[in-house]
């Protein structure tokens, strides 16, 4: 499931990076988020958990650079839909994992 994959990557990729993906998950599941933004977010989340990656995540440091690029672009696209409650929910989840 999404949560199991994200939890396993939290230790590899770093909690700060994962917190942003979790925040985007909450943004995408908010009824107020436009469908176009939801589509972008779900695409980014799918890319992140996909076994097919532009740069394999097993490559030290560089392996997560493509994920970071996708994350950054998605946050910029979704910036107007991100609410404080999304950030808080993500922080709560990450506190339990890290």
């Amino acid at each position: 499931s999404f949560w199991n994959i994200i939890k396993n990557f939290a230790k590899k990729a770093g909690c700060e990076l994962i917190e942003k993906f979790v925040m985007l998950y909450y943004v995408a599941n908010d009824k107020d988020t436009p469908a176009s933004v939801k589509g972008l977010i779900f695409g980014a989340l799918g890319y992140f958990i996909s076994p097919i990656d532009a740069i394999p995540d097993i490559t030290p440091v560089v392996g997560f650079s493509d994920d970071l690029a996708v994350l950054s672009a998605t946050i910029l696209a979704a910036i107007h839909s991100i609410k404080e409650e999304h950030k808080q929910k993500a922080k709560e989840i990450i506190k339990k994992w890290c």
Side-chain angles (χ1 to χ4, degrees):
S1 78
F2 172 79
W3 291 113
N4 288 333
I5 292 170
I6 293 297
K7 188 176 179 180
N8 289 335
F9 276 115
K11 292 183 176 95
K12 277 175 137 179
C15 293
E16 190 173 325
L17 177 66
I18 299 304
E19 183 179 327
K20 303 304 182 211
F21 279 105
V22 172
M23 177 191 67
L24 287 173
Y25 173 84
Y26 286 116
V27 174
N29 284 288
D30 189 318
K31 64 178 176 52
D32 296 332
T33 302
S36 59
V37 174
K38 287 182 180 193
L40 286 170
I41 292 172
F42 285 128
L45 295 175
Y47 177 80
F48 182 68
I49 64 172
S50 171
I52 300 170
D53 220 343
I55 303 171
D57 293 338
I58 58 171
T59 309
V61 182
V62 178
F64 290 106
S65 62
D66 59 326
D67 297 308
L68 184 57
V70 169
L71 173 68
S72 299
T74 305
I75 288 175
L76 284 174
I79 197 80
H80 297 296
S81 298
I82 298 171
K83 299 176 183 175
E84 191 59 36
E85 67 187 71
H86 304 139
K87 295 176 187 177
Q88 290 298 74
K89 286 180 181 179
K91 285 180 195 246
E92 290 171 17
I93 293 289
I94 294 302
K95 280 182 188 176
K96 293 177 186 177
W97 294 347
C98 298

